[in-house]
Amino acid sequence: MPSGNENKLKQDDEDIKYNSLNDSKFIDTDPYSYFSDLIIQILKNITHGRGVSKRGVNALSLFFLTSGLLYAHTVFPQTLIGFLKLYWIPLFFLLYFTTDVLRNFSWINEGFMRIFGGKRFSYEAIINDSVSLYELETCLEYTAFSADQLIDIVKHLVKKNQFSPKSQAKLMLNTALYEVKSINYIKDLLLEFEFTTKAVCIFLKKMEMRLDHKYLDKLIEKYCESPSVLFSVGKYHKYKINDQNSLYKLGYEFDYKSKPYDLIMVPVIVINVSLLAVFLIIAITWILLFEEGAPHNYLSRLDYVALIIGCLLILFLKILFSLIDLKATQPKKSISKYLSDKKDLDKNVIENITNDLDFS
């Protein structure tokens, strides 16, 4: 029969073995890991986020490897198109790395979610509580769920007490919500669950002139203490504008007077597009007709045409986005100024309406 000392010695042997195995996990003999960890840490500090993933670092390494081999063993192309043909594989790796880094910026990540977000994956992740709050809000706004999926998600969030004010507003902005089945569910839920007034105002805007008066009466009865809801009923549904409560009428009058802002947008866009088109035709004609106007050391005439088209497209998109931003921010400023001119309105009422109708 083994003695106590023998047992103790065996236990010590196991401890030594266990510690040696654990130590081996922390001793990394792969020099590449130091390089990848350094890149991740540097980018994490620069972007104030997760930096870049391991796959992103691998893509950067493959970019250096493939581009270095091509540069050392091939003749460097003399034209832009030739450069793209030869270096398309390194550029693919660089694009992957750049995309991975850009995911640190919320507005770019939201765009990725809109383009590449799989609705099935997003649905299952939300139901299983395996998404962050930011990812949840982004999915609720941009993912094109089915009506059944949206209903399941809302039921789950309400049950788990996770239907935050921002999540409610993001859900109301999702265009996929406005199908017959999901709309009927949300209409009933608005009367049963206590939504934020901002979410209600978004719903009223999205359903402009599509809600019957009986339902609006029920909605008003529940949210009658909210100036922004009453204002939105008059603004988006032209309802009760002759009521004693002046907020309905103020909403209707503001909507009527703000139409000129929409009319200005159309001629401005048309003029800009026309000027860009004329400049594009002149530039391309000049390059194609006058060979001496385009030096051929590095770029061909077709390369210049491609560059000009790209620059003009970027310029056009910038103008278009600036006009869209102007249109998006105009209503808030206009509502604030419009209501401030009404001497009989309380400042808290003005602030409530202005904030709730800011859907950006």
Side-chain angles (χ1 to χ4, degrees), residues 244-247 249-250 253 338-350 353:
Q244 187 176 359
N245 189 323
S246 62
L247 289 174
K249 188 174 183 180
L250 286 176
E253 289 178 348
Y338 171 73
L339 295 177
S340 298
D341 293 338
K342 308 298 177 183
K343 306 299 182 183
D344 55 336
L345 280 183
D346 185 83
K347 288 185 178 180
N348 292 330
V349 173
I350 296 175
I353 296 174

Side-chain angles (χ1 to χ4, degrees), residues 287-318:
I287 290 173
L288 294 178
L289 292 181
F290 300 97
E291 184 174 349
E292 66 276 10
H296 295 274
N297 294 335
Y298 297 102
L299 299 175
S300 67
R301 283 182 295 170
L302 290 178
D303 292 336
Y304 272 95
V305 173
L307 284 174
I308 289 177
I309 292 175
C311 292
L312 289 176
L313 180 61
I314 293 173
L315 179 61
F316 169 71
L317 289 176
K318 280 192 172 184

